[in-house]
Amino acid sequence: MSIADVKKSVEQKMHKSIDTLKNDLGKVRTGRAHTGLLDHVRVDYYGNPTPINQVANMTLIDARTIGVQPWEKKMIPVVEKAIRDADLGLNPATLGELIRVPMPALTEERRRDLTKVVRAESEAARVAIRNVRREGNEQLKRLLKDKAVSEDDERRAQDDVQKLTDRFIADVDKMLAAKEAELMAV
């Protein structure tokens, strides 16, 4: 293993932490509709729990309403029940073959609670990034101990790993600020 391998590994793991944070933040409901809210909803499709996007077409009707149109007419009540039972606080209504899922407006208290959740997710991402930095530094020290690299090269590589860490933590902070602004916007 070389210094370049360690740096590449560290950067890849930090990217994964950022991707995980993006995914987690996307699940936090802001009062705006987006089809990703229903991604983890499972529908009983002929006895098999199936993701909703495999039995229905999902679209945005407007900024606060998701439209769900099952591909089979007999699935309409099953899909509606699955959305209602998903514990998302959503109350779907059927209009013919289309299930309308309006997003309820968020209260000020709920916005504050969601802000706390978002901050906790961001802190978890920062901790993950710092753990990756620590692992990378330990690998660099092992290379130095095995006399595979010089002390100067090891020190430069640690500085590079620290710069990567700073960059990714700055990305986490930007994502947090954007999500908090989105949550607090009325």
Side-chain angles (χ1 to χ4, degrees):
M1 182 176 271
S2 69
I3 288 178
D5 294 338
V6 171
K7 285 184 198 173
K8 188 174 180 182
S9 168
V10 164
E11 188 166 12
Q12 286 173 343
K13 288 177 182 176
M14 287 182 182
H15 266 298
K16 285 181 186 170
S17 296
I18 292 288
D19 291 342
T20 301
L21 177 65
K22 279 182 189 169
N23 192 16
D24 291 345
L25 291 181
K27 291 177 183 170
V28 175
R29 192 164 58 83
T30 60
R32 282 198 194 91
H34 66 90
T35 56
L37 287 171
L38 301 177
D39 281 351
H40 72 280
V41 175
R42 299 260 182 232
V43 177
D44 184 30
Y45 187 67
Y46 296 108
N48 294 328
T50 309
I52 195 168
N53 59 2
Q54 292 181 13
V55 296
N57 189 24
M58 296 187 294
T59 57
L60 288 179
I61 295 173
D62 58 47
R64 291 191 169 267
T65 311
I66 300 173
V68 180
Q69 189 163 15
W71 294 321
E72 298 176 31
K73 276 189 175 183
K74 67 179 183 174
M75 291 300 295
I76 292 172
V78 178
V79 170
E80 186 177 359
K81 183 179 184 317
I83 294 170
R84 189 171 284 118
D85 295 346
D87 198 30
L88 293 171
L90 301 176
N91 192 16
T94 304
L95 293 171
E97 294 181 12
L98 181 71
I99 301 170
R100 293 174 55 94
V101 186
M103 295 290 119
L106 294 175
T107 63
E108 187 68 25
E109 183 181 341
R110 182 74 179 130
R111 289 176 196 274
R112 286 203 176 91
D113 291 345
L114 288 174
T115 301
K116 289 177 188 170
V117 169
V118 167
R119 285 184 181 152
E121 296 284 353
S122 298
E123 185 56 34
R126 284 188 205 103
V127 168
I129 289 169
R130 289 183 195 122
N131 285 341
V132 170
R133 174 188 61 192
R134 183 178 38 78
E135 290 169 13
N137 285 342
E138 286 172 1
Q139 288 175 338
L140 291 170
K141 286 177 184 163
R142 233 176 282 126
L143 287 174
L144 177 65
K145 184 179 170 192
D146 296 343
K147 306 231 185 291
V149 296
S150 69
E151 283 185 31
D152 289 344
D153 289 342
E154 186 254 355
R155 170 68 31 226
R156 265 188 237 107
Q158 279 190 359
D159 291 344
D160 291 344
V161 168
Q162 182 60 46
K163 286 176 187 164
L164 275 175
T165 304
D166 294 342
R167 191 180 90 210
F168 280 101
I169 286 185
D171 289 349
V172 168
D173 292 341
K174 284 180 200 162
M175 290 168 61
L176 171 64
K179 191 65 175 185
E180 281 183 338
E182 187 181 333
L183 279 170
M184 297 315 279
V186 178

